[in-house]
Amino acid sequence: MDNILNLFNILSQGLFTTILIFILTLLFAIPLGIVVAIAQNSKNKILNAIIKIYILIIRGTPMMLQIIFVYFAPYYLFKLSYDRFLAVIIAFVINYAAYFSQIFRSGILSIPKGQKEAAFTLGFSKTQTFFKIILPQVIKRILPSMSNEVISLVKTTSLAQIIGVTEVFALAQKQASFQFSILPLCIAALIYLALCTIITFVFNKLEKKFSYYTIT
Amino acid sequence: MNEILKVENLVKKYNDSYAVKNVSFTVNKGEVLVIIGASGSGKSTILRCINQLEKIDGGNVTINEDSMIKEMKNGKVIYNTKDILNKMNLECGMVFQNFNLFPHLSVLQNVTEAMVHVLKLDYKEAENKALKILENMGLKGKERKYPCNLSGGEQQRASIARTLAIAPQIIFMDEPTSALDPELVGEVLKVVKKLASQNRTMVIVTHEIQFAKEIADRVIFMCDGKIIEEGIPKDVIDNPKKKRTKEFLKRYSN
């Protein structure tokens, strides 16, 4: 029992990093994802091509490789080294913005054309139409897929250790080999499970909050 | 005559086929013009062009002396300035076949939204006006409901209320009863008649021939993107002269 508490204690030192990666990624990747989604819906062909290549690369290569690339590429190219944690955040934001943008885009495309047309005939500007009419409906529509992606983010934070950023999973592995026991990994599993349970709960609440209307 | 809308030689093409071919007509203040015709004859396209939902390929639309098109250049139309187009847009109200109410807003918010954010009225004033309009549309007691909780007829009346909110000088209705169950058509036609009796200027596309006869000051019959026959309902509907009009009315009269 003492060992379990002790393990919780040790692993919780990495919990702050795990949660910080999680929060900072959401904070930057969501707005960036919206921008990418809007840009992809625009008629600018060059912009469209750039975004298509970006999505292709991010979705088509392992995230582990992306994290290593973001951290080491500046070093190999310009002998430039920088903060590991910052590299993790940059890699996560670039990666998750790509996935989020596709969810937002499908959400925006799923809103019937008539909504935009009605807003236009009432004199709403394009910006007003997006923020007052389209976006609120998009949020409702994409909640289930967002919940999926956000839950996956919690678990993906464990990849940060690949460039030496110490988070929950890295500490658990270290303890496992140190104690020659599977217990630290079980404790880490419990921590991730707890985090995901909280997220599921929050998304359920959100879905309830938006259930006062249905989109026909 | 107090002419409010003038459509001249309107042309709309999809790829290389004409949806509307050189259509011209005018609407006077307080007049109700009903456009009838088979599906695909270009009726809705005309309304969509006037409401700037479709770009036109030729001709012009004038509302209160503001022209939609500034000039023709190399066979292409050059639209007027944004300010004038916005002004024209606000002078037109559009009621859609599928209502297109904003589902995330209550009935009341659907009506106040444009008053607050487009006309910049303060919220209290907008709400008072909206409540009056909704009462006029027979929606008293439904203000706090959401569109998904209303019947089709109520939704269409709410969407008419929303259009009235921007106080348009002409109201366009694109088959306002076509998406409704038969037993709900009556209540919508009733409020449209009410608007007509209040001397509103309206252009209505409909398949309800009997209704057209009752409400219209003038009827246009369209076929293949062109106006075939135009006149008072007594002439066009009861005594059509053209063969195509006769055939069409025969199919729709029962």
Side-chain angles (χ1 to χ4, degrees), chain B residues 204-218:
Chain B
I204 305 170
V205 168
T206 186
H207 287 303
E208 303 281 337
I209 303 299
Q210 188 55 37
F211 166 70
K213 218 162 104 180
E214 288 168 35
I215 196 173
D217 295 312
R218 213 147 36 88

mmCIF file with all atom_site columns, all heavy atoms in Angstrom, chain B residues 204-218:
data_model
loop_
_atom_site.group_PDB
_atom_site.id
_atom_site.type_symbol
_atom_site.label_atom_id
_atom_site.label_alt_id
_atom_site.label_comp_id
_atom_site.label_asym_id
_atom_site.label_entity_id
_atom_site.label_seq_id
_atom_site.pdbx_PDB_ins_code
_atom_site.Cartn_x
_atom_site.Cartn_y
_atom_site.Cartn_z
_atom_site.occupancy
_atom_site.B_iso_or_equiv
_atom_site.pdbx_formal_charge
_atom_site.auth_seq_id
_atom_site.auth_comp_id
_atom_site.auth_asym_id
_atom_site.auth_atom_id
_atom_site.pdbx_PDB_model_num
ATOM 1   N N   . ILE B 1 204 ? -44.473 36.198 -55.149 1.00 0.00 ? 204 ILE B N   1
ATOM 2   C CA  . ILE B 1 204 ? -44.620 34.849 -54.599 1.00 0.00 ? 204 ILE B CA  1
ATOM 3   C C   . ILE B 1 204 ? -44.550 33.806 -55.704 1.00 0.00 ? 204 ILE B C   1
ATOM 4   O O   . ILE B 1 204 ? -45.263 33.901 -56.704 1.00 0.00 ? 204 ILE B O   1
ATOM 5   C CB  . ILE B 1 204 ? -45.972 34.717 -53.851 1.00 0.00 ? 204 ILE B CB  1
ATOM 6   C CG1 . ILE B 1 204 ? -46.083 35.808 -52.782 1.00 0.00 ? 204 ILE B CG1 1
ATOM 7   C CG2 . ILE B 1 204 ? -46.114 33.330 -53.237 1.00 0.00 ? 204 ILE B CG2 1
ATOM 8   C CD1 . ILE B 1 204 ? -47.458 35.908 -52.157 1.00 0.00 ? 204 ILE B CD1 1
ATOM 9   N N   . VAL B 1 205 ? -43.677 32.856 -55.505 1.00 0.00 ? 205 VAL B N   1
ATOM 10  C CA  . VAL B 1 205 ? -43.638 31.696 -56.404 1.00 0.00 ? 205 VAL B CA  1
ATOM 11  C C   . VAL B 1 205 ? -44.433 30.592 -55.726 1.00 0.00 ? 205 VAL B C   1
ATOM 12  O O   . VAL B 1 205 ? -44.183 30.278 -54.561 1.00 0.00 ? 205 VAL B O   1
ATOM 13  C CB  . VAL B 1 205 ? -42.188 31.224 -56.622 1.00 0.00 ? 205 VAL B CB  1
ATOM 14  C CG1 . VAL B 1 205 ? -42.167 29.858 -57.318 1.00 0.00 ? 205 VAL B CG1 1
ATOM 15  C CG2 . VAL B 1 205 ? -41.415 32.237 -57.439 1.00 0.00 ? 205 VAL B CG2 1
ATOM 16  N N   . THR B 1 206 ? -45.409 30.038 -56.395 1.00 0.00 ? 206 THR B N   1
ATOM 17  C CA  . THR B 1 206 ? -46.228 29.024 -55.734 1.00 0.00 ? 206 THR B CA  1
ATOM 18  C C   . THR B 1 206 ? -46.822 28.049 -56.735 1.00 0.00 ? 206 THR B C   1
ATOM 19  O O   . THR B 1 206 ? -46.899 28.317 -57.936 1.00 0.00 ? 206 THR B O   1
ATOM 20  C CB  . THR B 1 206 ? -47.368 29.675 -54.913 1.00 0.00 ? 206 THR B CB  1
ATOM 21  O OG1 . THR B 1 206 ? -48.042 28.649 -54.186 1.00 0.00 ? 206 THR B OG1 1
ATOM 22  C CG2 . THR B 1 206 ? -48.345 30.399 -55.784 1.00 0.00 ? 206 THR B CG2 1
ATOM 23  N N   . HIS B 1 207 ? -47.203 26.893 -56.203 1.00 0.00 ? 207 HIS B N   1
ATOM 24  C CA  . HIS B 1 207 ? -47.928 25.915 -57.012 1.00 0.00 ? 207 HIS B CA  1
ATOM 25  C C   . HIS B 1 207 ? -49.403 25.884 -56.610 1.00 0.00 ? 207 HIS B C   1
ATOM 26  O O   . HIS B 1 207 ? -50.168 25.097 -57.136 1.00 0.00 ? 207 HIS B O   1
ATOM 27  C CB  . HIS B 1 207 ? -47.326 24.518 -56.830 1.00 0.00 ? 207 HIS B CB  1
ATOM 28  C CG  . HIS B 1 207 ? -46.008 24.357 -57.519 1.00 0.00 ? 207 HIS B CG  1
ATOM 29  N ND1 . HIS B 1 207 ? -45.856 24.573 -58.863 1.00 0.00 ? 207 HIS B ND1 1
ATOM 30  C CD2 . HIS B 1 207 ? -44.783 24.010 -57.061 1.00 0.00 ? 207 HIS B CD2 1
ATOM 31  C CE1 . HIS B 1 207 ? -44.594 24.368 -59.196 1.00 0.00 ? 207 HIS B CE1 1
ATOM 32  N NE2 . HIS B 1 207 ? -43.917 24.042 -58.116 1.00 0.00 ? 207 HIS B NE2 1
ATOM 33  N N   . GLU B 1 208 ? -49.759 26.714 -55.630 1.00 0.00 ? 208 GLU B N   1
ATOM 34  C CA  . GLU B 1 208 ? -51.144 26.747 -55.165 1.00 0.00 ? 208 GLU B CA  1
ATOM 35  C C   . GLU B 1 208 ? -51.946 27.676 -56.070 1.00 0.00 ? 208 GLU B C   1
ATOM 36  O O   . GLU B 1 208 ? -52.029 28.880 -55.849 1.00 0.00 ? 208 GLU B O   1
ATOM 37  C CB  . GLU B 1 208 ? -51.210 27.261 -53.717 1.00 0.00 ? 208 GLU B CB  1
ATOM 38  C CG  . GLU B 1 208 ? -50.395 26.468 -52.730 1.00 0.00 ? 208 GLU B CG  1
ATOM 39  C CD  . GLU B 1 208 ? -51.098 25.179 -52.319 1.00 0.00 ? 208 GLU B CD  1
ATOM 40  O OE1 . GLU B 1 208 ? -52.342 25.101 -52.430 1.00 0.00 ? 208 GLU B OE1 1
ATOM 41  O OE2 . GLU B 1 208 ? -50.396 24.241 -51.912 1.00 0.00 ? 208 GLU B OE2 1
ATOM 42  N N   . ILE B 1 209 ? -52.541 27.091 -57.102 1.00 0.00 ? 209 ILE B N   1
ATOM 43  C CA  . ILE B 1 209 ? -53.202 27.913 -58.115 1.00 0.00 ? 209 ILE B CA  1
ATOM 44  C C   . ILE B 1 209 ? -54.406 28.665 -57.540 1.00 0.00 ? 209 ILE B C   1
ATOM 45  O O   . ILE B 1 209 ? -54.597 29.861 -57.810 1.00 0.00 ? 209 ILE B O   1
ATOM 46  C CB  . ILE B 1 209 ? -53.654 27.037 -59.309 1.00 0.00 ? 209 ILE B CB  1
ATOM 47  C CG1 . ILE B 1 209 ? -52.452 26.299 -59.890 1.00 0.00 ? 209 ILE B CG1 1
ATOM 48  C CG2 . ILE B 1 209 ? -54.341 27.877 -60.366 1.00 0.00 ? 209 ILE B CG2 1
ATOM 49  C CD1 . ILE B 1 209 ? -51.358 27.186 -60.437 1.00 0.00 ? 209 ILE B CD1 1
ATOM 50  N N   . GLN B 1 210 ? -55.172 27.977 -56.718 1.00 0.00 ? 210 GLN B N   1
ATOM 51  C CA  . GLN B 1 210 ? -56.353 28.620 -56.134 1.00 0.00 ? 210 GLN B CA  1
ATOM 52  C C   . GLN B 1 210 ? -55.942 29.830 -55.297 1.00 0.00 ? 210 GLN B C   1
ATOM 53  O O   . GLN B 1 210 ? -56.542 30.900 -55.386 1.00 0.00 ? 210 GLN B O   1
ATOM 54  C CB  . GLN B 1 210 ? -57.115 27.596 -55.270 1.00 0.00 ? 210 GLN B CB  1
ATOM 55  C CG  . GLN B 1 210 ? -58.460 28.083 -54.754 1.00 0.00 ? 210 GLN B CG  1
ATOM 56  C CD  . GLN B 1 210 ? -59.376 28.563 -55.874 1.00 0.00 ? 210 GLN B CD  1
ATOM 57  O OE1 . GLN B 1 210 ? -59.390 27.993 -56.967 1.00 0.00 ? 210 GLN B OE1 1
ATOM 58  N NE2 . GLN B 1 210 ? -60.110 29.645 -55.618 1.00 0.00 ? 210 GLN B NE2 1
ATOM 59  N N   . PHE B 1 211 ? -54.895 29.632 -54.527 1.00 0.00 ? 211 PHE B N   1
ATOM 60  C CA  . PHE B 1 211 ? -54.356 30.694 -53.687 1.00 0.00 ? 211 PHE B CA  1
ATOM 61  C C   . PHE B 1 211 ? -53.853 31.851 -54.549 1.00 0.00 ? 211 PHE B C   1
ATOM 62  O O   . PHE B 1 211 ? -54.120 33.023 -54.261 1.00 0.00 ? 211 PHE B O   1
ATOM 63  C CB  . PHE B 1 211 ? -53.222 30.116 -52.829 1.00 0.00 ? 211 PHE B CB  1
ATOM 64  C CG  . PHE B 1 211 ? -52.355 31.132 -52.151 1.00 0.00 ? 211 PHE B CG  1
ATOM 65  C CD1 . PHE B 1 211 ? -52.843 31.904 -51.111 1.00 0.00 ? 211 PHE B CD1 1
ATOM 66  C CD2 . PHE B 1 211 ? -51.028 31.319 -52.543 1.00 0.00 ? 211 PHE B CD2 1
ATOM 67  C CE1 . PHE B 1 211 ? -52.044 32.833 -50.483 1.00 0.00 ? 211 PHE B CE1 1
ATOM 68  C CE2 . PHE B 1 211 ? -50.228 32.242 -51.916 1.00 0.00 ? 211 PHE B CE2 1
ATOM 69  C CZ  . PHE B 1 211 ? -50.734 33.004 -50.881 1.00 0.00 ? 211 PHE B CZ  1
ATOM 70  N N   . ALA B 1 212 ? -53.159 31.506 -55.629 1.00 0.00 ? 212 ALA B N   1
ATOM 71  C CA  . ALA B 1 212 ? -52.651 32.529 -56.543 1.00 0.00 ? 212 ALA B CA  1
ATOM 72  C C   . ALA B 1 212 ? -53.799 33.394 -57.049 1.00 0.00 ? 212 ALA B C   1
ATOM 73  O O   . ALA B 1 212 ? -53.699 34.624 -57.109 1.00 0.00 ? 212 ALA B O   1
ATOM 74  C CB  . ALA B 1 212 ? -51.926 31.859 -57.716 1.00 0.00 ? 212 ALA B CB  1
ATOM 75  N N   . LYS B 1 213 ? -54.876 32.732 -57.372 1.00 0.00 ? 213 LYS B N   1
ATOM 76  C CA  . LYS B 1 213 ? -56.037 33.442 -57.909 1.00 0.00 ? 213 LYS B CA  1
ATOM 77  C C   . LYS B 1 213 ? -56.607 34.432 -56.897 1.00 0.00 ? 213 LYS B C   1
ATOM 78  O O   . LYS B 1 213 ? -56.985 35.547 -57.230 1.00 0.00 ? 213 LYS B O   1
ATOM 79  C CB  . LYS B 1 213 ? -57.111 32.407 -58.264 1.00 0.00 ? 213 LYS B CB  1
ATOM 80  C CG  . LYS B 1 213 ? -57.871 32.715 -59.530 1.00 0.00 ? 213 LYS B CG  1
ATOM 81  C CD  . LYS B 1 213 ? -58.563 31.468 -60.016 1.00 0.00 ? 213 LYS B CD  1
ATOM 82  C CE  . LYS B 1 213 ? -60.043 31.522 -59.705 1.00 0.00 ? 213 LYS B CE  1
ATOM 83  N NZ  . LYS B 1 213 ? -60.721 30.294 -60.173 1.00 0.00 ? 213 LYS B NZ  1
ATOM 84  N N   . GLU B 1 214 ? -56.613 33.990 -55.633 1.00 0.00 ? 214 GLU B N   1
ATOM 85  C CA  . GLU B 1 214 ? -57.207 34.833 -54.588 1.00 0.00 ? 214 GLU B CA  1
ATOM 86  C C   . GLU B 1 214 ? -56.320 36.016 -54.236 1.00 0.00 ? 214 GLU B C   1
ATOM 87  O O   . GLU B 1 214 ? -56.811 37.102 -53.960 1.00 0.00 ? 214 GLU B O   1
ATOM 88  C CB  . GLU B 1 214 ? -57.438 34.002 -53.319 1.00 0.00 ? 214 GLU B CB  1
ATOM 89  C CG  . GLU B 1 214 ? -58.583 33.017 -53.443 1.00 0.00 ? 214 GLU B CG  1
ATOM 90  C CD  . GLU B 1 214 ? -58.576 32.039 -52.271 1.00 0.00 ? 214 GLU B CD  1
ATOM 91  O OE1 . GLU B 1 214 ? -58.212 32.462 -51.157 1.00 0.00 ? 214 GLU B OE1 1
ATOM 92  O OE2 . GLU B 1 214 ? -58.910 30.861 -52.486 1.00 0.00 ? 214 GLU B OE2 1
ATOM 93  N N   . ILE B 1 215 ? -55.011 35.784 -54.225 1.00 0.00 ? 215 ILE B N   1
ATOM 94  C CA  . ILE B 1 215 ? -54.136 36.810 -53.643 1.00 0.00 ? 215 ILE B CA  1
ATOM 95  C C   . ILE B 1 215 ? -53.513 37.723 -54.699 1.00 0.00 ? 215 ILE B C   1
ATOM 96  O O   . ILE B 1 215 ? -53.191 38.880 -54.416 1.00 0.00 ? 215 ILE B O   1
ATOM 97  C CB  . ILE B 1 215 ? -53.024 36.139 -52.793 1.00 0.00 ? 215 ILE B CB  1
ATOM 98  C CG1 . ILE B 1 215 ? -52.362 37.179 -51.881 1.00 0.00 ? 215 ILE B CG1 1
ATOM 99  C CG2 . ILE B 1 215 ? -51.993 35.465 -53.649 1.00 0.00 ? 215 ILE B CG2 1
ATOM 100 C CD1 . ILE B 1 215 ? -51.389 36.578 -50.910 1.00 0.00 ? 215 ILE B CD1 1
ATOM 101 N N   . ALA B 1 216 ? -53.327 37.220 -55.917 1.00 0.00 ? 216 ALA B N   1
ATOM 102 C CA  . ALA B 1 216 ? -52.505 37.946 -56.884 1.00 0.00 ? 216 ALA B CA  1
ATOM 103 C C   . ALA B 1 216 ? -53.210 39.165 -57.471 1.00 0.00 ? 216 ALA B C   1
ATOM 104 O O   . ALA B 1 216 ? -54.405 39.129 -57.762 1.00 0.00 ? 216 ALA B O   1
ATOM 105 C CB  . ALA B 1 216 ? -52.090 37.007 -58.009 1.00 0.00 ? 216 ALA B CB  1
ATOM 106 N N   . ASP B 1 217 ? -52.457 40.251 -57.622 1.00 0.00 ? 217 ASP B N   1
ATOM 107 C CA  . ASP B 1 217 ? -52.928 41.359 -58.449 1.00 0.00 ? 217 ASP B CA  1
ATOM 108 C C   . ASP B 1 217 ? -52.575 41.060 -59.892 1.00 0.00 ? 217 ASP B C   1
ATOM 109 O O   . ASP B 1 217 ? -53.270 41.462 -60.808 1.00 0.00 ? 217 ASP B O   1
ATOM 110 C CB  . ASP B 1 217 ? -52.242 42.663 -58.019 1.00 0.00 ? 217 ASP B CB  1
ATOM 111 C CG  . ASP B 1 217 ? -52.636 43.054 -56.611 1.00 0.00 ? 217 ASP B CG  1
ATOM 112 O OD1 . ASP B 1 217 ? -53.833 43.035 -56.308 1.00 0.00 ? 217 ASP B OD1 1
ATOM 113 O OD2 . ASP B 1 217 ? -51.732 43.332 -55.794 1.00 0.00 ? 217 ASP B OD2 1
ATOM 114 N N   . ARG B 1 218 ? -51.430 40.363 -60.032 1.00 0.00 ? 218 ARG B N   1
ATOM 115 C CA  . ARG B 1 218 ? -50.972 40.018 -61.359 1.00 0.00 ? 218 ARG B CA  1
ATOM 116 C C   . ARG B 1 218 ? -50.307 38.648 -61.303 1.00 0.00 ? 218 ARG B C   1
ATOM 117 O O   . ARG B 1 218 ? -49.712 38.274 -60.296 1.00 0.00 ? 218 ARG B O   1
ATOM 118 C CB  . ARG B 1 218 ? -49.947 41.059 -61.840 1.00 0.00 ? 218 ARG B CB  1
ATOM 119 C CG  . ARG B 1 218 ? -49.962 41.329 -63.327 1.00 0.00 ? 218 ARG B CG  1
ATOM 120 C CD  . ARG B 1 218 ? -49.609 42.807 -63.636 1.00 0.00 ? 218 ARG B CD  1
ATOM 121 N NE  . ARG B 1 218 ? -48.611 43.330 -62.724 1.00 0.00 ? 218 ARG B NE  1
ATOM 122 C CZ  . ARG B 1 218 ? -47.294 43.231 -62.930 1.00 0.00 ? 218 ARG B CZ  1
ATOM 123 N NH1 . ARG B 1 218 ? -46.823 42.625 -63.995 1.00 0.00 ? 218 ARG B NH1 1
ATOM 124 N NH2 . ARG B 1 218 ? -46.446 43.747 -62.075 1.00 0.00 ? 218 ARG B NH2 1
#
